Amino acid sequence: GTECFKIKMVTKAGREETMYFDASNYYEIKTVEKVKANGKEEEQVSTFGNFQKQPEGIVLPMSIDQGTGPMTVKSVSINKSIPDNIFVPTELAGKKQ
């Protein structure tokens, strides 16, 4: 029921995804991705809603549904400081560098 722009993307590897953008605000409201599972091609549909503008000015969907029921995003941190040791591979985490 929403007027949309529809963009179909096919990668060099053959992955196909169709994205739907609300024509009034350009928010991505739906994606349909063709995936292969157990030798069969299936469609994976994701819908996005409850868009909220973050203090940094970025608008993000706070509700995402991938067919298994909606997931609600409670909070978002943007440009949060992260300690460098979080990027150490687990096999090196216990060893001195």
Side-chain angles (χ1 to χ4, degrees):
T2 302
E3 189 172 327
C4 294
F5 295 111
K6 178 180 174 182
I7 297 175
K8 181 177 178 180
M9 174 184 72
V10 180
T11 67
K12 287 182 181 180
R15 187 175 74 89
E16 187 177 310
E17 184 174 350
T18 305
M19 298 161 278
Y20 298 84
F21 295 88
D22 186 319
S24 67
N25 55 25
Y26 305 107
Y27 297 164
E28 184 177 17
I29 59 172
K30 180 178 177 180
T31 62
V32 178
E33 184 176 358
K34 290 189 179 178
V35 295
K36 290 185 180 176
N38 299 324
K40 296 180 182 178
E41 188 173 86
E42 299 178 5
E43 287 188 346
Q44 180 177 346
V45 179
S46 301
T47 56
F48 309 97
N50 189 21
F51 291 89
Q52 294 181 11
K53 189 172 189 175
Q54 304 302 303
E56 296 81 3
I58 300 169
V59 178
L60 296 172
M62 302 304 278
S63 176
I64 302 166
D65 189 347
Q66 294 182 317
T68 57
M71 174 180 64
T72 301
V73 178
K74 293 185 179 190
S75 67
V76 176
S77 297
I78 298 172
N79 292 331
K80 181 178 177 181
S81 294
I82 300 173
D84 289 340
N85 67 352
I86 198 168
F87 298 105
V88 176
T90 54
E91 64 270 6
L92 299 177
K95 299 178 183 177
K96 277 193 167 183
Q97 303 247 336

